[in-house]
Amino acid sequence: MSILSAKNVTKRFGGLVAVGNLNIDLEEGSIVSIIGPNGAGKTTFFNCVTGFYQVTEGEILFDGQSLNHRSTDLITRLGISRTYQNIRLFANMTTIENILVGEHPHLKTFWAEAIFRTPRFLKEEKDAEAEARRLLRYVGLAGLGDSLARNLPYGAQRRLEIARALASKPKLLLLDEPTAGMNPNESAEMMRFIKNLRDDLGITILLIEHDMRVVMGISEHIHVLDFGQKIAEGSPKEIQRNPRVIEAYLGRGAASGLEKQTDGISATV
Amino acid sequence: MSNEKKFTLRNAINQGLLAGLITTLISTVGMVELFSQRQLIAGVMTMAQLFIFLIPALISFQTARKAPKNSILLFSAVTSFFASLPVLVLILLASTFGLRRFLINVSPSLIETLTFGQGPLVGSLILVLATTAVGVAAAFVDQMDEKIRKPILAGLMWTILVGTFSEILQERLRAFFGIGFTNLIIKSKALQPVAALIFLVVVTAISYFWQQRGDSIKKGLASQSATQRRNMTYAQRIAFFVLLLILPLLLGSYLSEVTNNVGIYVLMGLGLNIVVGFAGLLDLGYVAFFAIGAYVMAILTSEGFLGVAQTSFWLALPVSVITAVIAGILLGTPVLRMRGDYLAIVTLGFGEIIRIMANSDLLKPYIGGAQGVLQIPKPSFFGTSLIQPGQLYYVVLAGVLLAWFVSTRLSNSRLGRQWMAMREDEDVAEAMGINLVNTKLLAFAIGAGFSGLSGAIFASKLTSIFPHSFNLLISINVLSLIIVGGMGSLPGVVVGSLILVGLPELLREFAEFRPWMYGALLIVMMLAKPEGFWPSAIQKRELHADEESPPVEEVAAAD
Amino acid sequence: MQRRLQNINYLDFVLWFIRVSIIVFVAWGTIATLLDNPYSADVWVNFTVLGLAQGSMYALIAIGYTLVYGVLFMINFAHGEFFMSGIMTATVFIAGPLSASGYLNNHPVISLLLILVVSMITSVGVAILTERVAYRPLRKAPRLVPLITALGASTFLQYTFRGLFGSEVKPFPQVEALSGKISFLGTEILQTQMVVIIATVIMLVGLYLFVMRTKTGKAIRAVAEDKDVAALMGIDVDRTIAITFALGASMAGAAGVLYALVFRQVHFYMGFLPGLKAFTAAVLGGIGSIPGAAVGGLFLGIFESVGPPLFLDGLNVPAYHQLKDVITFTLLVLVLIFRPQGIVGERLAEKKA
């Protein structure tokens, strides 16, 4: 069944249509990519899903529940979590603290319990910290628990951001350009890591990505946006051959002339 | 380091002129003159003279650090010489034109202070020579080996401190050791020269030997086992609590009163610390909750005609706090979506609205308008009315300890992390499932609660309250003390209160200049030491973001 | 319908409650006052003209907030003190002696120009100094930091001038040439008020042309748009920002003179309230916009002068003039909560976030 389905979603800013009449269905447990040129409305769609923006028209359903008019924190509690294109960690908190904040939706104690240090509070804090350390190990940052998020190297920050997103035990994980700024080796590693996420944890993954090697390598399904409209969808193979996609990326002339070599081109776009 | 440009003589001159201008400014606004009566060391030095020489000395010290190695003395001499010139100009202008017609504080007695009572000509010469000498001396001190420099500076600092507070010390020493002994050290509110010299030598010596021994003691501590160390901390804590409990006995009536005032600000500071320091919400109308707490206490307990219930202090106290909490939630709600500077302005607006309303005829039948509420009884404890400051101290102490306890526990909990995350990045915090409405309102409510508690104690301590006690300056005062101590740091609140509230109470000449100093401190702290004097670990990281190099590898290796 | 109701959360509920109660309160007060009809039409016109004069000053001060906000996205808390410092200095050093020697009333035009120049120069000097010392080193600091220094600068300047010139209210001499009334469209108007309004219009137009037509004005607008790009185009950003402060402060210095002409007294604390109100005006007109600041200032002046009698008189509030500032602050709070982009402005607020 589909875990997330966007039905005729439109988001306008004044006169600008950032996302127009978009329909996207996500199979549970799949890895799906959204690609498209800059300004195509990909991140806007993410923002609509997470409730940062309210959709202008249409509806987004998650697990059969409508996300319209729900605030961001409630949507996170339903089981959607995300990372950001330009990493947005809590830079001056330690890595463990970052993950602990991510665990927030699953912590139950009332704030007054913290004042009296009730047994329940102490146990929950202990468990939460153990879980945070486990996640840290899982993303390969074991031993870095007490360093500041700000001081981590770039790749580690990306991983920490994913760990933080995983801490809320999401069913759906939105990754906004997880390999941006990485060299091919790092990208390949991140790709394996994302695949493992799905295989180990069964999390559905929706990602925005520009690196075609990554997109073609791990996606089971791809949606292509251009100017807020969906211009194509399908398996990586189908997308690579789609003339409209090539046109959107390379312009009209290129589309007709280079159609035969598409595989090579789209892999380097 | 990239900023190590060559430091030329021209820079030295500029530095000197800057120091001189600052000295001239504090002279013309009247601060120097105000302190000319306070003797630091009897017959040798007044506080005014300290002010005249302090800034040139500090800047010469700075110059000595930056100057080329082979001409340090020259540079310091030039700096301090030029530091005396603006003051000289002031003296010249004042004695030739009637500057006083315009600048009310440029009085003949100021000029007399600046010229050491020797007349403009000789006095100016003394001023120039003395300033230069002080500057050169500062450079000398700077050149000394660290092992000697530090003890000397410590000795100087403590001697000046003792001299500054000699009036209070005199009273205390008399209480404990009698008049005869006291007169040897401090006579008619001034430290005796011989005693000062002995004190200077003793402190320097102690500081020197402590430094020599300090390392071995630290090593000894480090070699202790974990249980030993834990026992040590417990012992320290118990000693500290005992000290807190017997403090009024040591301090006497006047100092207890000062301590109570400091305590009231600590309490307010702890509250604002939650709002600004933990949650990052700049609230400039914070005084409103203090006022609400005070007025509720006043109306409920007053024996005058405005009192409605004449309840006891202890019954009114929770009511005041709860009212303040509710007010915190009510005023916090409409500003939930605002950030940063707009939030500051709106809260400032709220604070002013409440003050003006309290002052107006509209509410006069209920809260007394400008005449305030009178005849508020002091709290009583099992039948004894806590009239003495030394008795009231315990009420204040209990309040501070409670607020401290709650702050510590909360900051180390989920809620503390929520606040921190919100301060770092509101959008992401929300995307982590944090309900911003609840988190912010909790910060506002708890902060307001502490402030209301503080206000309630304040009202019954003063026995009468007036709207003008609740103006914007109180908010600025509390904000300043948090910043001076270090945002988000609990010990910082105490340090800030001691410096910004305690110090001016002890040196009452300051009273008029308190706001001036707060303003200057806010700027200077932000420029030079944004993390405050006792920073919380977190704030320190935050404000020195660019200076650290990422020590990731080391951390990884150590772990 | 069911669905919509469910989605109204606590915050929305409170905000709607505030909106409705304010509207009810204002409407009720206004109707009660109008039914009661305590003042003649002439009095209302006088209220309006007084408001216009007052609003002119707010407009001039608001320019400073708007310019600085446009360039630095920072609320310059100390701007009210720039206003105070100019006229305090001019009163003590120029107006006082000139009046004592009789020169002021013999040569009113030269004297007033001299006062104006001294006031503007002092304000500009204080502004440039403040910018250099307290703001410039902190340009890259977290957002709250410059706000806190600005607050510090404001308090520091207030009490510096208190220390320099004393804490008492200082009289500003009456200029006899401006002491009469003139008839305008059938009503009597104080000459000073007329001068204030005309002077304001001239200065606002001058400033607008300066910012729009000159090269320096273009540089200011470029820096407001994007500091980094402006720097790449060869604009000295630091200098441009200093000029922006100076421009705003010169308007504040001029406003100080007009203030002194109308109220005939100066005081070290006189900058605080007008400063805060001018900020309100700047926000009302959409902060960052120069015409907005002018319109906002005039609107606020009239609102403040007509508002208290109109809203409160009918409700039998005793001594309602005491609550004048409450009304202004309420307006400030409401505007910031409900329309931070200003009444006519665009969504500038979002850009800075």
Side-chain angles (χ1 to χ4, degrees):
Chain A
M1 64 168 273
S2 71
I3 186 165
L4 183 87
S5 65
K7 291 180 178 156
N8 302 322
V9 167
T10 300
K11 175 69 194 172
R12 284 195 209 97
F13 295 103
L16 178 81
V17 182
V19 173
N21 220 10
L22 190 64
N23 285 296
I24 285 182
D25 265 296
L26 245 61
E27 281 298 311
E28 185 157 9
S30 58
I31 299 182
V32 177
S33 293
I34 300 181
I35 63 171
N38 286 327
K42 305 177 301 268
T43 301
T44 306
F45 176 67
F46 268 27
N47 282 332
C48 289
V49 173
T50 54
F52 189 69
Y53 294 152
Q54 290 295 330
V55 298
T56 320
E57 281 163 31
E59 191 171 29
I60 301 176
L61 295 172
F62 176 72
D63 254 358
Q65 287 172 315
S66 170
L67 297 183
N68 290 19
H69 302 291
R70 265 181 217 270
S71 62
T72 306
D73 56 310
L74 289 179
I75 290 174
T76 306
R77 281 164 185 275
L78 284 179
I80 299 179
S81 88
R82 72 172 290 187
T83 67
Y84 294 85
Q85 187 178 347
N86 45 339
I87 305 172
R88 285 173 82 173
L89 288 166
F90 303 117
N92 295 299
M93 296 167 78
T94 63
T95 46
I96 280 288
E97 282 169 342
N98 266 280
I99 301 178
L100 282 173
V101 172
E103 282 182 48
H104 178 84
H106 297 283
L107 303 184
K108 297 283 180 289
T109 48
F110 186 52
W111 57 272
E113 288 183 55
I115 298 176
F116 299 108
R117 294 238 165 113
T118 58
R120 195 162 85 104
F121 166 79
L122 289 175
K123 181 175 182 311
E124 190 184 83
E125 284 288 295
K126 212 175 129 209
D127 293 348
E129 175 147 358
E131 167 71 8
R133 301 234 175 245
R134 194 187 67 73
L135 276 168
L136 212 53
R137 263 199 311 281
Y138 182 74
V139 298
L141 298 177
L144 290 175
D146 297 320
S147 55
L148 291 184
R150 185 181 78 221
N151 290 340
L152 294 179
Y154 185 80
Q157 291 195 357
R158 283 265 175 228
R159 283 159 176 276
L160 176 58
E161 217 188 9
I162 294 177
R164 186 180 68 180
L166 290 177
S168 67
K169 304 200 176 92
K171 295 178 202 150
L172 170 65
L173 183 59
L174 309 180
L175 301 174
D176 199 341
E177 298 198 28
T179 68
M182 289 186 172
N183 65 33
N185 281 338
E186 290 169 326
S187 295
E189 202 185 326
M190 179 59 80
M191 222 162 95
R192 274 196 297 281
F193 178 71
I194 294 171
K195 227 173 197 148
N196 282 343
L197 275 184
R198 194 267 309 267
D199 298 343
D200 299 350
L201 308 173
I203 300 172
T204 315
I205 290 169
L206 178 64
L207 63 145
I208 292 173
E209 190 49 73
H210 276 303
D211 186 338
M212 287 305 146
R213 253 186 298 265
V214 175
V215 173
M216 299 305 162
I218 62 173
S219 314
E220 283 143 14
H221 202 78
I222 297 175
H223 299 268
V224 188
L225 298 193
D226 193 18
F227 293 112
Q229 309 285 335
K230 182 154 78 181
I231 55 173
E233 74 171 290
S235 69
K237 283 258 158 58
E238 290 162 1
I239 294 299
Q240 283 176 15
R241 300 214 182 83
N242 189 318
R244 283 196 67 190
V245 177
I246 299 160
E247 184 189 314
Y249 270 93
L250 297 177
R252 190 170 293 273
S256 53
L258 295 172
E259 215 168 359
K260 282 162 202 148
Q261 316 168 17
T262 41
D263 285 16
I265 288 166
S266 27
T268 52
V269 168
Chain B
M1 290 276 279
S2 57
N3 60 351
E4 218 168 313
K5 268 182 270 170
K6 203 167 174 299
F7 194 77
T8 60
L9 217 49
R10 202 195 166 89
N11 295 120
I13 294 175
N14 285 342
Q15 294 271 308
L17 288 176
L18 178 70
L21 284 174
I22 296 175
T23 313
T24 314
L25 181 68
I26 60 174
S27 305
T28 35
V29 297
M31 213 150 95
V32 169
E33 174 53 20
L34 213 54
F35 282 96
S36 63
Q37 296 310 313
R38 194 177 272 271
Q39 302 268 326
L40 277 183
I41 299 165
V44 179
M45 195 179 180
T46 64
M47 192 128 180
Q49 284 156 359
L50 177 70
F51 278 140
I52 300 173
F53 293 123
L54 187 65
I55 291 153
L58 287 178
I59 301 242
S60 297
F61 205 73
Q62 287 285 314
T63 312
R65 301 229 147 147
K66 291 184 205 156
K69 282 282 164 280
N70 48 9
S71 49
I72 288 172
L73 288 187
L74 172 73
F75 271 65
S76 300
V78 167
T79 301
S80 47
F81 173 74
F82 276 91
S84 65
L85 291 188
V87 187
L88 215 59
V89 172
L90 178 70
I91 296 172
L92 201 75
L93 282 176
S95 37
T96 43
F97 305 102
L99 255 193
R100 188 167 195 198
R101 260 199 303 157
F102 308 117
L103 305 170
I104 55 151
N105 279 312
V106 185
S107 58
S109 69
L110 170 72
I111 301 308
E112 205 181 306
T113 308
L114 289 177
T115 54
F116 311 98
Q118 306 294 324
L121 220 62
V122 183
S124 299
L125 202 65
I126 297 179
L127 179 75
V128 174
L129 291 178
T131 314
T132 314
V134 167
V136 172
F140 258 121
V141 174
D142 177 63
Q143 282 310 291
M144 289 173 184
D145 187 62
E146 194 179 359
K147 275 187 185 147
I148 306 171
R149 188 180 69 217
K150 276 194 172 165
I152 288 186
L153 285 179
L156 279 174
M157 215 180 75
W158 280 101
T159 313
I160 289 173
L161 267 181
V162 169
T164 309
F165 298 117
S166 47
E167 185 180 353
I168 293 128
L169 281 174
Q170 183 179 18
E171 191 256 330
R172 284 288 83 197
L173 283 176
R174 274 188 188 165
F176 286 108
F177 302 106
I179 291 179
F181 176 74
T182 308
N183 279 356
L184 287 178
I185 305 172
I186 302 170
K187 210 168 170 182
S188 56
K189 299 179 185 173
L191 195 59
Q192 293 302 301
V194 179
L197 199 64
I198 295 173
F199 189 77
L200 175 66
V201 171
V202 169
V203 173
T204 308
I206 291 177
S207 158
Y208 180 76
F209 285 114
W210 176 253
Q211 193 178 285
Q212 300 294 304
R213 283 297 187 76
D215 292 339
S216 59
I217 293 175
K218 267 180 216 148
K219 253 179 223 156
L221 283 177
S223 64
Q224 281 176 329
S225 71
T227 33
Q228 266 175 322
R229 239 181 293 169
R230 193 186 291 164
N231 287 343
M232 275 288 277
T233 31
Y234 275 130
Q236 278 172 354
R237 276 191 194 172
I238 289 168
F240 182 66
F241 272 108
V242 171
L243 182 72
L244 279 183
L245 284 179
I246 60 165
L247 202 58
L249 300 177
L250 301 176
L251 292 179
S253 169
Y254 174 66
L255 280 181
S256 295
E257 174 67 21
V258 172
T259 312
N260 288 346
N261 289 338
V262 171
I264 287 200
Y265 274 93
V266 170
L267 200 43
M268 259 199 280
L270 287 173
L272 188 62
N273 186 49
I274 287 186
V275 185
V276 180
F278 291 168
L281 307 161
L282 186 55
D283 184 348
L284 293 182
Y286 188 63
V287 68
F289 310 118
F290 183 67
I292 286 168
Y295 267 104
V296 171
M297 171 58 78
I299 301 288
L300 285 182
T301 62
S302 169
E303 287 151 2
F305 66 95
L306 285 170
V308 292
Q310 279 97 19
T311 56
S312 85
F313 172 82
W314 302 105
L315 202 66
L317 196 64
V319 182
S320 310
V321 175
I322 291 168
T323 317
V325 166
I326 293 171
I329 294 172
L330 285 182
L331 293 188
T333 303
V335 301
L336 284 172
R337 288 208 184 117
M338 317 191 88
R339 293 178 192 192
D341 35 16
Y342 276 25
L343 175 73
I345 298 267
V346 168
T347 48
L348 186 151
F350 280 146
E352 285 296 294
I353 289 174
I354 287 191
R355 187 183 60 82
I356 300 170
M357 293 294 269
N359 225 334
S360 73
D361 288 354
L362 180 65
L363 297 178
K364 195 171 178 182
Y366 315 105
I367 59 171
Q371 276 82 48
V373 187
L374 310 174
Q375 295 178 32
I376 307 163
K378 300 237 180 193
S380 65
F381 192 67
F382 289 115
T384 39
S385 178
L386 307 177
I387 295 168
Q388 294 298 320
Q391 298 169 321
L392 211 57
Y393 166 84
Y394 293 101
V395 179
V396 179
L397 180 66
V400 169
L401 289 180
L402 175 75
W404 183 289
F405 180 73
V406 172
S407 295
T408 333
R409 284 283 167 94
L410 286 182
S411 74
N412 293 323
S413 76
R414 180 164 74 126
L415 184 60
R417 290 194 298 268
Q418 278 168 253
W419 283 333
M420 232 195 295
M422 198 170 71
R423 195 184 64 196
E424 293 270 312
D425 191 329
E426 219 170 79
D427 297 334
V428 179
E430 197 179 11
M432 293 297 121
I434 292 173
N435 183 332
L436 293 183
V437 171
N438 290 349
T439 310
K440 281 189 184 179
L441 282 183
L442 266 174
F444 279 127
I446 296 171
F450 290 172
S451 188
L453 178 63
S454 182
I457 299 175
F458 174 80
S460 98
K461 174 175 157 306
L462 248 66
T463 67
S464 54
I465 53 169
F466 309 97
H468 69 75
S469 325
F470 306 107
N471 57 27
L472 177 66
L473 269 178
I474 307 280
S475 295
I476 294 181
N477 192 344
V478 181
L479 181 68
S480 309
L481 70 88
I482 288 182
I483 284 165
V484 167
M487 268 202 246
S489 148
L490 301 184
V493 174
V494 180
V495 171
S497 308
L498 283 173
I499 298 176
L500 289 190
V501 183
L503 215 62
E505 296 242 356
L506 294 181
L507 303 172
R508 260 160 301 167
E509 291 98 326
F510 260 126
E512 214 179 315
F513 285 96
R514 267 169 83 163
W516 190 74
M517 295 224 331
Y518 296 153
L521 266 175
L522 281 182
I523 302 175
V524 171
M525 293 301 292
M526 284 294 123
L527 290 175
K529 218 169 158 49
E531 75 276 13
F533 283 119
W534 194 314
S536 73
I538 294 162
Q539 205 64 22
K540 206 169 176 178
R541 315 166 193 161
E542 195 162 318
L543 288 152
H544 288 280
D546 312 325
E547 293 165 24
E548 289 170 22
S549 55
V552 176
E553 279 74 21
E554 293 148 44
V555 174
D559 219 304
Chain C
M1 195 62 208
Q2 182 69 43
R3 181 114 158 238
R4 282 199 77 107
L5 273 180
Q6 170 198 332
N7 291 321
I8 293 177
N9 59 27
Y10 165 70
L11 180 55
D12 288 328
F13 176 77
V14 172
L15 292 182
W16 273 105
F17 178 78
I18 295 175
R19 280 192 186 101
V20 170
S21 41
I22 292 281
I23 290 171
V24 167
F25 178 82
V26 166
W28 183 23
T30 309
I31 291 169
T33 307
L34 291 181
L35 289 179
D36 211 26
N37 200 12
Y39 304 110
S40 67
D42 260 8
V43 179
W44 286 115
V45 171
N46 276 339
F47 278 145
T48 312
V49 175
L50 177 73
L52 266 180
Q54 182 82 56
S56 306
M57 294 165 210
Y58 294 154
L60 283 177
I61 307 173
I63 294 289
Y65 282 105
T66 268
L67 284 176
V68 168
Y69 198 93
V71 171
L72 287 182
F73 298 128
M74 161 197 163
I75 299 173
N76 175 20
F77 245 112
H79 191 64
E81 270 53 63
F82 301 166
F83 159 81
M84 174 274 295
S85 59
I87 188 58
M88 276 285 272
T89 312
T91 306
V92 172
F93 281 100
I94 310 294
L98 284 185
S99 163
S101 66
Y103 190 85
L104 179 69
N105 282 320
N106 293 335
H107 303 85
V109 176
I110 298 177
S111 302
L112 281 178
L113 277 180
L114 194 61
I115 292 171
L116 184 71
V117 167
V118 169
S119 174
M120 285 170 82
I121 287 177
T122 314
S123 291
V124 168
V126 170
I128 288 179
L129 216 64
T130 309
E131 194 271 329
R132 184 71 193 79
V133 173
Y135 300 159
R136 191 180 295 180
L138 297 170
R139 213 161 276 162
K140 295 217 165 70
R143 264 182 72 111
L144 282 189
V145 169
L147 186 68
I148 291 170
T149 41
L151 194 64
S154 165
T155 320
F156 179 77
L157 286 173
Q158 270 173 27
Y159 283 82
T160 299
F161 278 83
R162 182 184 193 265
L164 292 177
F165 299 135
S167 60
E168 70 278 14
V169 174
K170 296 195 177 306
F172 185 84
Q174 180 160 21
V175 183
E176 276 164 23
L178 296 177
S179 61
K181 288 183 172 185
I182 53 166
S183 168
F184 181 75
L185 295 178
T187 41
E188 300 254 285
I189 295 176
L190 289 175
Q191 276 192 4
T192 43
Q193 294 179 346
M194 205 67 203
V195 168
V196 167
I197 295 170
I198 292 170
T200 302
V201 170
I202 293 171
M203 263 179 299
L204 286 179
V205 171
L207 179 100
Y208 189 74
L209 291 179
F210 180 84
V211 174
M212 287 307 175
R213 297 281 165 81
T214 63
K215 206 174 159 198
T216 319
K218 213 178 264 174
I220 291 177
R221 283 183 290 140
V223 172
E225 205 61 47
D226 191 325
K227 277 194 266 308
D228 297 333
V229 176
L232 287 177
M233 299 294 126
I235 294 171
D236 183 343
V237 173
D238 279 340
R239 196 170 149 263
T240 309
I241 290 174
I243 291 175
T244 312
F245 270 87
L247 262 187
S250 68
M251 293 293 133
V257 177
L258 303 181
Y259 181 95
L261 279 178
V262 173
F263 295 100
R264 295 223 298 281
Q265 59 180 30
V266 295
H267 186 236
F268 78 95
Y269 202 62
M270 68 188 266
F272 175 70
L273 270 186
L276 207 53
K277 289 177 182 173
F279 174 73
T280 314
V283 175
L284 270 173
I287 196 152
S289 137
I290 294 174
V295 173
L298 294 179
F299 174 80
L300 183 69
I302 295 171
F303 183 84
E304 193 180 82
S305 137
V306 176
L310 188 62
F311 306 147
L312 299 179
D313 195 71
L315 300 177
N316 296 321
V317 174
Y320 61 76
H321 57 271
Q322 290 173 335
L323 300 181
K324 189 178 93 173
D325 293 338
V326 170
I327 290 201
T328 314
F329 285 129
T330 311
L331 183 70
L332 167 70
V333 167
L334 292 178
V335 169
L336 285 181
I337 292 173
F338 292 112
R339 276 196 81 82
Q341 72 274 34
I343 289 178
V344 285
E346 311 154 49
R347 283 209 150 265
L348 257 168
E350 226 165 66
K351 193 169 113 189
K352 55 139 192 172

